[in-house]
Amino acid sequence: MQIDIQARGFELTDGLREHTKKRLSFATDWAHDELRTIHVRLSDVNGPRGGEDKRCLIQIPLVGMQDIVIDELESDLYVAIDKAANRMERVLSKRIERAREHPHASLKKHHTDNAAEALTDDAN
């Protein structure tokens, strides 16, 4: 699994990069077979003005499912990363569990649509 981390509005330190990788790796270790890439965008929304403006945006593309997008905004970037990682783990768990419970739902819909098209073609 590849973790792509980019910072906007400030320089990404080695400590921040390592913290982000550790938190995301820990949160997704159990799902490494389903994941190929995690995109992380860290930014300082208000710049030097301060406030709750440190953003951690996580995007996970999933094959055959809608992407997971988590956006956390906090005054401390480390807190934003931790909260985003926790939310990401919960959402990812639910998505993968649903996909495992209903593995052929999208295939059944596709098959049903094709069968309906075949019946329509035969009637004409």
Side-chain angles (χ1 to χ4, degrees), residues 34-88:
E34 282 84 2
L35 303 177
R36 292 188 181 158
T37 305
I38 299 176
H39 302 284
V40 182
R41 302 297 173 258
L42 305 173
S43 58
D44 186 351
V45 179
N46 292 335
R49 291 181 293 190
E52 288 194 5
D53 66 337
K54 308 301 189 280
R55 172 172 277 151
C56 176
L57 179 71
I58 299 174
Q59 182 178 6
I60 303 174
L62 297 171
V63 176
M65 292 182 269
Q66 187 176 8
D67 289 2
I68 293 174
V69 178
I70 304 294
D71 191 6
E72 282 291 334
L73 197 62
E74 290 289 331
S75 58
D76 183 305
L77 192 51
Y78 286 90
V79 173
I81 292 166
D82 292 346
K83 284 186 173 185
N86 289 337
R87 281 185 53 210
M88 177 202 64

Side-chain angles (χ1 to χ4, degrees), residues 11-27:
E11 186 176 332
L12 182 62
T13 65
D14 290 339
L16 194 54
R17 179 184 303 280
E18 285 306 309
H19 177 78
T20 304
K21 282 186 178 184
K22 282 181 186 178
R23 285 295 289 126
L24 296 180
S25 294
F26 180 76

